Amino acid sequence: MMIDKPHHVLTLVIQKETDIPRIRSKVKLLVRAIDAPVRQVVGLAVGASETARLLLQKYGGGKVRISLFPQKIMNIDCGVELLFHGKTSCLKGRICPVDEQALLVLPPFPGLMTVFDSVQVQGGTGGRKITIICRNIRLGVTWEEVHKRLSSIRGELFADTEESYVENLRAKHDEVVRLLQEKTEKNRLLDQSNNELLQLSNDLEKLARERTIIEMSLRIADQVRNPATVIGGMARRLMEKGNLTGREQKKIQVIASEAEKIEALVKQFNTMAAERRTLFAREDLVLLIEDALQTCPTLQSKNIRVKLYAPPKPVEIHANRQVLKVALVHILRYLTRQLPEGEGLSVDIGKGMEPRLTINCKLDSVEHMGSEKPTAMDSATESDKAKGLELVRQILTEHQAEFTVESNAEGKVAVSIRFPRVFHEQWTTPTGSTE
């Protein structure tokens, strides 16, 4: 069966009980206007009103778009399409279906399938809005006859009262408002993402500056310490021999004294380096992931259900809060963008020997995030870079964390981040010594 693009005839809103008989009468009037059999008139009208009732009772109302279309089998016949859109997800306090099979056994779907040739349902479960597409091609009239009378058919639909014009215009106005709201929301999310990237850039710049100062301080200190120690040691050994003249003794004492001053300066460099490590602090991983979950825009826009499993006591890690938070948000956004609307994911925080954060969800593929085997921090691919995950890996490397991705044949994915129990501040100097 081939169906050309439907020709929109009328859109009606579903907001209150009085809208249901109006929808029934309009569908009945339309099917009569195209000279369809009486049996079709009654069946389609009742099916339309009962579907509208379902949307009103369980999904907060919505709208129905009524269209006619040409379909090609042997001849070009005329078909009718009723496209229902629910306003919200299943209302609280209602008996909501858990899956598509549970939904299709509820009224009016069994009856719709006997009246219409095709009934398609999208969403309606798991926090997703519902869309119902009902089509019938067994009207017994040709598209050519109906197409010639489209203008008069529309006139008959609006002949009884001007209220239908108002309802139709209101539906179109609501559609325009909805599109504008969606555009505004997308712009807001884009601005939020840009602000997050700007903040991340600033934090990484600070981090690099701090690291540069620390490394320079320790490198200079290490290069000065060895000569100062040798000079001071030799000076003290000469004084210990005791076979120096008074004048020579004074000179050696001055050399030893100045060597001690140099060693004191080296200690000051170490102190300064320690004081400059201000960006990293003890942070509670539980509070950090809660903040990231609230910040991630995709969780809210796609109605993703989140289950957080965390110990009652704080799980402390050594972290730069703002930088690590942006990395966690990026991981959450990457995962939730691939999840269907209304899907769920779980976040598990473990304490144990090493703090661990695990995000579990059901995905068909994580080809850009890692292989099916655990992925090491240093094995980032070009695909990772394309998706921005290379930056995440660099941030986690800065936090001495191990990032792994595991998936199984059932399509379940586990993204794990394991933090060190003890954070090691190690800087290697050109001579190979370590502070």
Side-chain angles (χ1 to χ4, degrees):
M1 180 179 66
M2 297 180 60
I3 297 176
D4 290 343
K5 182 178 179 181
H7 291 248
H8 173 247
V9 177
L10 179 66
T11 297
L12 295 173
V13 295
I14 307 168
Q15 294 182 335
K16 50 186 181 298
E17 285 289 342
T18 55
D19 293 330
I20 295 176
R22 180 180 295 112
I23 291 172
R24 180 169 58 247
S25 65
K26 289 300 179 185
V27 172
K28 183 184 294 185
L29 186 61
L30 171 64
V31 182
R32 280 178 177 172
I34 62 177
D35 296 328
V38 176
R39 182 173 58 85
Q40 298 285 353
V41 173
V42 176
L44 296 180
V46 173
S49 63
E50 291 306 307
T51 307
R53 192 184 310 278
L54 172 71
L55 263 62
L56 183 63
Q57 293 178 348
K58 286 190 178 295
Y59 299 97
K63 62 182 178 180
V64 54
R65 176 186 172 98
I66 306 172
S67 305
L68 298 173
F69 62 87
Q71 60 84 25
K72 300 177 182 178
I73 304 179
M74 296 294 293
N75 303 313
I76 301 180
D77 293 333
C78 177
V80 62
E81 177 186 87
L82 305 180
L83 178 59
F84 294 87
H85 286 295
K87 185 177 181 180
T88 64
S89 57
C90 190
L91 298 174
K92 292 182 179 179
R94 306 292 183 182
I95 300 177
C96 301
V98 294
D99 53 33
E100 185 176 343
Q101 291 182 347
L103 175 63
L104 294 179
V105 298
L106 295 177
F109 291 108
L112 292 179
M113 293 176 184
T114 62
V115 173
F116 291 91
D117 298 318
S118 171
V119 177
Q120 300 178 21
V121 181
Q122 301 170 4
T125 63
R128 293 177 291 174
K129 298 179 182 178
I130 193 170
T131 297
I132 305 171
I133 306 173
C134 302
R135 294 193 182 102
N136 198 318
I137 58 174
R138 296 178 297 177
L139 300 179
V141 293
T142 65
W143 172 251
E144 184 179 0
E145 295 174 355
V146 173
H147 188 264
K148 292 178 181 178
R149 299 180 52 236
L150 273 179
S151 297
S152 61
I153 290 172
R154 288 193 176 98
E156 291 182 40
L157 289 174
F158 297 124
D160 55 344
T161 174
E162 293 185 359
E163 184 178 4
S164 296
Y165 286 107
V166 176
E167 292 293 325
N168 195 40
L169 290 174
R170 185 174 65 172
K172 292 182 180 298
H173 175 267
D174 291 342
E175 180 70 12
V176 172
V177 171
R178 184 185 65 81
L179 293 174
L180 289 175
Q181 289 175 342
E182 289 181 357
K183 184 177 180 180
T184 302
E185 178 64 14
K186 289 180 180 178
N187 289 337
R188 186 188 69 80
L189 295 177
L190 180 61
D191 290 340
Q192 181 176 341
S193 299
N194 290 335
N195 291 334
E196 290 176 1
L197 290 175
L198 178 60
Q199 183 64 45
L200 175 60
S201 177
N202 292 336
D203 287 337
L204 291 178
E205 184 178 344
K206 289 180 182 178
L207 194 62
R209 186 165 60 248
E210 295 288 333
R211 171 59 64 86
T212 302
I213 293 174
I214 293 172
E215 287 184 345
M216 288 181 61
S217 300
L218 294 177
R219 285 173 186 270
I220 293 172
D222 184 76
Q223 292 173 3
V224 172
R225 177 188 293 108
N226 291 339
T229 302
V230 171
I231 293 171
M234 294 184 67
R236 285 188 289 270
R237 288 183 65 183
L238 289 173
M239 288 189 295
E240 289 174 357
K241 288 183 177 181
N243 56 353
L244 300 175
T245 64
R247 188 174 179 181
E248 290 174 343
Q249 185 79 13
K250 280 187 177 182
K251 289 181 179 180
I252 296 300
Q253 286 179 346
V254 170
I255 293 173
S257 176
E258 294 301 318
E260 290 178 356
K261 290 181 180 179
I262 294 174
E263 291 179 352
L265 288 174
V266 170
K267 292 181 179 179
Q268 289 181 10
F269 272 114
N270 289 330
T271 302
M272 181 182 70
E275 290 175 350
R276 296 297 291 179
R277 298 186 185 112
T278 56
L279 288 176
F280 282 81
R282 302 300 294 177
E283 299 287 350
D284 185 358
L285 182 59
V286 178
L287 296 179
L288 206 155
I289 191 62
E290 287 178 346
D291 194 6
L293 290 170
Q294 292 178 358
T295 304
C296 182
T298 323
L299 288 172
Q300 286 77 29
S301 62
K302 298 185 70 172
N303 296 317
I304 302 298
R305 297 173 287 107
V306 179
K307 292 184 179 180
L308 177 61
Y309 302 97
K313 295 183 179 180
V315 179
E316 291 190 342
I317 59 172
H318 201 65
N320 179 333
R321 180 181 182 83
Q322 186 61 31
V323 174
L324 184 57
K325 172 189 168 183
V326 175
L328 295 176
V329 171
H330 193 96
I331 294 173
L332 289 169
R333 290 179 64 187
Y334 176 84
L335 293 173
T336 53
R337 281 174 179 173
Q338 300 181 74
L339 289 174
E341 184 176 351
E343 191 59 60
L345 62 81
S346 65
V347 180
D348 189 2
I349 299 177
K351 204 167 185 179
M353 293 297 295
E354 294 178 318
R356 177 189 288 269
L357 169 66
T358 304
I359 303 174
N360 297 284
C361 59
K362 191 172 183 180
L363 285 179
D364 295 331
S365 173
V366 286
E367 56 182 349
H368 296 300
M369 202 168 195
S371 63
E372 293 185 355
K373 297 180 180 180
T375 304
M377 292 288 298
D378 56 356
S379 62
T381 63
E382 291 300 318
S383 298
D384 288 333
K385 295 177 182 179
K387 289 292 182 180
L389 289 174
E390 174 63 17
L391 183 58
V392 172
R393 293 178 182 274
Q394 291 177 4
I395 293 173
L396 295 178
T397 300
E398 191 69 37
H399 287 76
Q400 302 177 10
E402 182 181 351
F403 181 39
T404 60
V405 181
E406 297 177 337
S407 60
N408 57 28
E410 298 177 357
K412 294 183 179 179
V413 174
V415 178
S416 297
I417 304 173
R418 188 170 67 246
F419 295 91
R421 185 171 59 87
V422 178
F423 193 83
H424 299 283
E425 293 281 5
Q426 293 184 338
W427 314 97
T428 302
T429 66
T431 60
S433 61
T434 301
E435 280 298 324

